[in-house]
Amino acid sequence: KTLKKLILTITFLLILSGCLLNPPWQTNPDLDKQHFKQRVTIDERASNTFVIFSTVNGIQDKQGTHQVVLNDNFVRGFFNKRTRSKTYQIYNVVYYAGAGDNTSRKHFAQANYQTPTGGSEITSTTILQENEDCSALNFYGQCLYNEHVAFQVDEGLLRTVATSEALHLPTDKIWQYALIPESGDSHKDKLLTAEVAGLLERMDQYISIMPTEYHDQ
């Protein structure tokens, strides 16, 4: 309980002080495609049908001396062994503070992401988790919330993002998007194009050696 309270305090201080900025690792040239490819996790046990690939271990922004992981985002790919179809999603964990009333939750219902033409596209999201911790309400006058939000993206878009040259971006190594809430400010975020490329290449490599016929276990 003491450790949890300490982590909660650190999280509140970081959020209230506005320190959850774009982390410096997002422009680190050492985080190339090979880095992310080697760190892709592969879950074959999730079900008999799907294999889940994820860049969750690619990089995490850890804050403070206790290395608390706050806002996080990564790419997930799903391979259906029966149909050999693939789907992809961007997974986000977002922390924020609120007054503890009914209007405090943001409910990130949509995402707005960059397209290869230089425009943007809006899509609906899936809210996988919504958590609330009001144990520090008496100290800070606010509760701590986090939402686990995912939105699906087309494989063609991701492959274009991975090449990066075709994107009209401030830098050709970053793909940007925003989560749009039902209440409050949007959450702007980004992914290194190398992270997308690493996932795609690892999935392609894995699928290429799988049997073309699937039999239920």
Side-chain angles (χ1 to χ4, degrees), residues 24-43:
W25 55 260
Q26 288 186 314
T27 53
N28 185 338
D30 294 330
L31 299 177
D32 57 10
K33 177 178 68 175
Q34 195 63 25
H35 166 90
F36 289 104
K37 180 181 175 182
Q38 291 174 347
R39 287 162 176 77
V40 169
T41 62
I42 302 175
D43 186 355

Side-chain angles (χ1 to χ4, degrees), residues 3-217:
L3 178 60
K4 180 181 178 181
K5 184 177 180 181
L6 178 61
I7 292 175
L8 181 63
T9 300
I10 294 171
T11 305
F12 258 113
L13 291 176
L14 289 168
I15 290 176
L16 296 179
S17 63
C19 290
L20 297 184
L21 304 177
N22 293 332
W25 55 260
Q26 288 186 314
T27 53
N28 185 338
D30 294 330
L31 299 177
D32 57 10
K33 177 178 68 175
Q34 195 63 25
H35 166 90
F36 289 104
K37 180 181 175 182
Q38 291 174 347
R39 287 162 176 77
V40 169
T41 62
I42 302 175
D43 186 355
E44 300 178 286
R45 299 171 298 175
S47 72
N48 288 332
T49 305
F50 287 94
V51 182
I52 303 175
F53 303 79
S54 173
T55 61
V56 63
N57 292 334
I59 190 69
Q60 291 181 324
D61 184 35
K62 298 181 179 180
Q63 307 271 354
T65 57
H66 290 271
Q67 297 291 279
V68 179
V69 177
L70 299 177
N71 294 344
D72 195 13
N73 67 333
F74 48 91
V75 192
R76 296 206 299 181
F78 300 82
F79 176 65
N80 187 316
K81 290 182 284 187
R82 282 198 184 94
T83 64
R84 299 188 71 81
S85 61
K86 294 172 284 185
T87 54
Y88 301 88
Q89 67 176 200
I90 311 301
Y91 194 109
N92 304 263
V93 183
V94 184
Y95 282 83
Y96 56 92
D101 54 29
N102 291 333
T103 63
S104 293
R105 292 189 182 275
K106 290 193 173 184
H107 300 292
F108 293 104
Q110 293 181 310
N112 185 4
Y113 59 85
Q114 289 179 311
T115 65
T117 60
S120 63
E121 187 168 328
I122 294 178
T123 186
S124 59
T125 67
T126 300
I127 300 177
L128 303 172
Q129 288 186 45
E130 287 185 298
N131 301 303
E132 175 187 90
D133 190 336
C134 292
S135 60
L137 183 62
N138 293 333
F139 297 96
Y140 299 104
Q142 291 184 300
C143 296
L144 179 64
Y145 299 90
N146 73 69
E147 296 185 31
H148 291 238
V149 183
F151 63 95
Q152 190 167 320
V153 286
D154 181 72
E155 180 177 0
L157 171 68
L158 287 185
R159 292 199 179 275
T160 304
V161 168
T163 63
S164 74
E165 298 89 6
L167 295 178
H168 299 267
L169 306 178
T171 169
D172 63 359
K173 295 183 179 180
I174 292 175
W175 178 62
Q176 300 182 73
Y177 63 90
L179 299 177
I180 304 171
E182 294 179 356
S183 175
D185 297 330
S186 297
H187 172 76
K188 296 181 180 180
D189 218 326
K190 61 186 73 172
L191 285 167
L192 285 172
T193 57
E195 183 168 352
V196 176
L199 178 92
L200 292 173
E201 190 164 302
R202 184 65 185 96
M203 281 187 68
D204 290 345
Q205 184 183 65
Y206 182 96
I207 293 171
S208 68
I209 61 174
M210 287 197 68
T212 55
E213 293 186 6
Y214 172 75
H215 302 282
D216 289 320
Q217 299 178 1

